[in-house]
Amino acid sequence: VIAREQRLIAYYTGVPHTLETLRTALLTHLPEFMVPALYIHLEALPLSPNGKLDRKALPEPDAVEARVYEAPQGETETLLADIWQELLGVEQVGRHDNFFELGGHSLLAVTLTSRLREQGLEADVRALFDHPTLAGYAAITDRMEIVL
C-alpha cells in the first residue's frame, strides 16, 4: 500500500478480488482511514535488481483498467453525481464510479450526507460504505426517502 494523490492505493498479487470483498475484509481489522481507496491487481510486483519492491515501477492508477462511463440516471443519481464532482474535484462521475476510488474518505462522506440532507434527502454514511458506487448509493438513498 502506498499513498498517491492523497489516497491509499493497494497493489496485490494472487487471486483477483472485487473492491467490495477487499474493503470488507480490511474493515474488519483496520479503521476506515487506513483502508485503501483503490486496489490494483498485478501478476507480479515489480522488483529492483537487488530484489526489493520497485515502487517507481508500480503503475499509476489512471494507467490501470479504466471503467466505462455510464451517465447517471434519474434525479437522485444526477444530484449525487453533481455533489461528488464538487466534493471530489473530478470532472465526471458515472453510475459505476466508486466514491472511495475517486478519492473519497470518511470526512467527505459526512459532508456528502449533510449536503444530501440540505436537498431534502435522507442519507446515511454507513450506507455509503456498504454501497459505494453512485448507482448503489442512489438506490439506497431513494429507498430511505420512501420509508420516511
Side-chain angles (χ1 to χ4, degrees):
V1 175
I2 61 171
R4 283 194 177 161
E5 301 169 13
Q6 298 184 352
R7 61 183 175 170
L8 293 177
I9 302 170
Y11 294 91
Y12 70 99
T13 60
V15 179
H17 293 282
T18 63
L19 170 70
E20 291 76 26
T21 304
L22 292 171
R23 272 190 69 75
T24 302
L26 289 173
L27 281 169
T28 61
H29 302 288
L30 297 170
E32 188 275 327
F33 72 91
M34 294 178 78
V35 175
L38 182 62
Y39 300 82
I40 299 174
H41 180 261
L42 301 173
E43 290 300 317
L45 294 173
L47 301 177
S48 67
N50 62 2
K52 293 184 180 181
L53 176 66
D54 186 355
R55 291 173 184 262
K56 292 179 183 176
L58 290 169
E60 292 288 330
D62 296 339
V64 178
E65 160 186 341
R67 195 173 267 125
V68 175
Y69 174 78
E70 186 178 335
Q73 298 175 1
E75 260 183 68
T76 305
E77 284 187 22
T78 303
L79 174 64
L80 271 176
D82 291 341
I83 295 171
W84 285 23
Q85 285 173 271
E86 184 182 332
L87 287 177
L88 302 171
V90 295
E91 287 185 34
Q92 180 175 292
V93 175
R95 297 190 80 225
H96 305 292
D97 286 336
N98 183 298
F99 182 79
F100 301 103
E101 286 181 6
L102 294 175
H105 50 75
S106 58
L107 292 176
L108 285 177
V110 172
T111 303
L112 170 66
T113 57
S114 174
R115 295 249 181 105
L116 289 172
R117 288 184 183 127
E118 289 171 5
Q119 297 293 322
L121 292 171
E122 186 60 32
D124 179 49
V125 173
R126 187 71 221 157
L128 181 60
F129 286 99
D130 293 338
H131 306 278
T133 63
L134 183 80
Y137 191 59
I140 293 298
T141 302
D142 282 342
R143 276 190 239 136
M144 291 170 54
E145 184 181 27
I146 292 168
V147 171
L148 298 174

